[in-house]
Amino acid sequence: TISYTSSCPNFEQIVNLAATDRRRIFVDLLSRCYVVARTSGVETVQPVASSSLERSARGRLPPWLKVKAPGDAGYRELKRLVGGLRLNTVCESARCPNVGECWSQGTATFMILGDVCTRSCGFCAIKTGRPAELDEDEPRRVAEAVARLGLRHAVITSVNRDELTDGGARIFARTLEELRRRCPATTVEVLIPDFQGNWDALELVLAARPEILNHNIETVPRLYHIMRPQARYERSLELLDRALRTGPAPTKSGMMLGAGEIRQETEQSIRDLAAVGCSILTLGQYLSPSSQHVQVDRYVHPDEFVELRDFALGLGFRHVESGPMVRSSYHAERQVDDMVTAGPSPHRHMTDAE
């Protein structure tokens, strides 16, 4: 028996909202309902939000978020290679759910500048603290790993190194240079931090000619104070805008959904990315790494990811990966293929010289 104890919002207002927001209102309504349970003739009353039924349901992942545990031969071989060369991957450090799929196919996202980050983002599993000294040999070892794997496309990312004047841009550039020397046929995507708005650092990375320049906005501006407290939404947009004005590489960004944003906010952020000429977009389900991180607000249905993919393509994005298991580097090799096939971006800004 369920008894409702609060007034219901206007029905016409609810049906006019997006399906996502209707579901959130329904969850809120449930939090104000009570469950009456009868056991051996004894009645107990408790809010739905604290009932054992609700707690067990909250702990279960929906079926579309189930993945195969890693462990095949390709996964084990890549793990041995990465460990032997003393390299870090964001796949492991950030506990990516696709690690089994990607590693079994011989692809990985290499994380340079160490494995300790100077920031404390509310969504990220990477360690926070005081980083060690820069490893000047790291660029060579990354290039060796890419060569031994025979990768057609490599993705290089990093922790934030805010204690460095250039935020680690020099090591990014040196890694690209080593890859050009050792693996000239390999295309490279760099997933960079915001360098605290140091645009000279951005230009240093772009001068090394990556095929794709990626910087994730991660979430909507309203949630930055809990998800990216040391970052600024406007600065991330400015970085993407400057990158497109400075170099020929197409720009890319990504967002996690299900951390508390509403559909209208997500669509506005996608518009913001389109407005600065972003060509590639990734949208995936946010999964909380631990109880100390920002908790999942909701599990976004796959149908909503399809709707958002169509919305983004309608705004002019050239490639959109949108689905519950999508992460920033998911199917990255397909994205660079699409960029080469499509030619120059119609979003590309004209410089003063042009």
Side-chain angles (χ1 to χ4, degrees):
T1 303
I2 298 179
S3 59
Y4 184 58
T5 63
S6 183
S7 59
C8 181
N10 182 277
F11 179 76
E12 288 77 12
Q13 291 177 339
I14 294 177
V15 297
N16 287 329
L17 292 172
T20 299
D21 301 325
R22 291 201 299 270
R23 284 193 291 271
R24 294 191 67 196
I25 287 176
F26 177 69
V27 170
D28 179 63
L29 293 177
L30 281 181
S31 70
R32 287 176 277 162
C33 296
Y34 291 87
V35 173
V36 180
R38 291 183 177 85
T39 305
S40 301
V42 178
E43 288 189 355
T44 59
V45 180
Q46 58 182 319
V48 169
S50 63
S51 68
S52 59
L53 178 65
E54 190 271 348
R55 286 198 301 272
S56 63
R58 185 194 305 156
R60 288 194 298 267
L61 290 175
W64 59 81
L65 286 174
K66 304 295 175 66
V67 296
K68 181 182 177 181
D72 67 6
Y75 170 86
R76 293 194 298 273
E77 176 58 28
L78 200 153
K79 189 172 181 66
R80 279 194 294 269
L81 174 63
V82 168
L85 290 173
R86 295 180 290 113
L87 295 173
N88 300 300
T89 68
V90 75
C91 322
E92 292 181 298
S93 297
R95 304 175 193 172
C96 178
N98 299 317
V99 63
E101 177 185 350
C102 295
W103 283 30
S104 66
Q105 297 172 4
T107 63
T109 298
F110 297 95
M111 188 173 73
I112 61 174
L113 301 174
D115 64 350
V116 178
C117 187
T118 54
R119 297 191 185 181
S120 53
C121 295
F123 63 86
C124 187
I126 294 173
K127 293 180 290 186
T128 299
R130 184 187 296 270
E133 293 295 317
L134 286 178
D135 181 352
E136 297 289 347
D137 187 52
E138 189 175 49
R140 181 196 63 79
R141 299 199 309 276
V142 170
E144 181 178 345
V146 170
R148 286 168 60 177
L149 286 168
L151 297 185
R152 187 169 59 87
H153 182 68
V155 181
I156 311 299
T157 189
S158 77
V159 293
N160 284 277
R161 295 293 300 262
D162 291 340
E163 87 285 8
L164 301 174
T165 303
D166 69 351
R170 180 177 61 86
I171 300 296
F172 262 106
R174 282 195 51 215
T175 303
L176 281 160
E177 290 163 2
E178 287 288 337
L179 286 167
R180 297 290 179 228
R181 183 182 65 81
R182 185 78 184 268
C183 315
T186 301
T187 54
V188 184
E189 170 187 328
V190 290
L191 170 53
I192 62 172
D194 62 19
F195 299 129
Q196 300 185 87
N198 181 341
W199 307 131
D200 290 337
L202 172 63
E203 290 184 13
L204 183 61
V205 174
L206 289 169
R209 298 177 294 109
E211 271 72 25
I212 293 178
L213 189 290
N214 184 359
H215 175 70
N216 290 327
I217 62 170
E218 306 290 9
T219 188
V220 301
R222 181 175 58 83
L223 298 180
Y224 260 53
H225 71 289
I226 58 171
M227 296 287 274
R228 299 185 72 198
Q230 293 109 323
R232 294 201 344 251
Y233 182 79
E234 296 77 11
R235 184 165 62 199
S236 287
L237 291 176
E238 184 177 357
L239 182 151
L240 291 164
D241 183 56
R242 284 176 175 268
L244 196 60
R245 293 179 183 274
T246 302
T251 53
K252 169 182 173 181
S253 193
M255 297 176 64
M256 300 169 291
L257 307 184
E261 75 291 334
I262 64 173
R263 176 68 171 264
Q264 290 91 332
E265 289 176 309
T266 301
E267 291 180 352
Q268 184 55 54
S269 287
I270 295 173
R271 289 190 192 95
D272 292 342
L273 290 171
V276 294
C278 200
S279 294
I280 306 170
L281 176 67
T282 58
L283 301 171
Q285 171 68 54
Y286 170 61
L287 296 173
S288 180
S290 76
S291 60
Q292 277 69 53
H293 291 80
V294 174
Q295 295 302 292
V296 175
D297 179 70
R298 65 186 180 94
Y299 295 114
V300 181
H301 193 275
D303 289 349
E304 186 173 346
F305 281 106
V306 173
E307 293 168 4
L308 289 168
R309 175 183 181 274
D310 292 343
F311 175 78
L313 289 172
L315 292 175
F317 284 87
R318 312 289 283 284
H319 187 107
V320 180
E321 291 283 346
S322 181
M325 301 305 297
V326 168
R327 294 299 180 268
S328 184
S329 302
Y330 193 57
H331 293 160
E333 70 285 352
R334 299 181 188 176
Q335 298 160 22
V336 76
D337 286 345
D338 279 1
M339 293 301 101
V340 171
T341 301
S345 171
H347 288 313
R348 178 158 162 67
H349 301 298
M350 299 297 286
T351 65
D352 292 339
E354 295 172 312

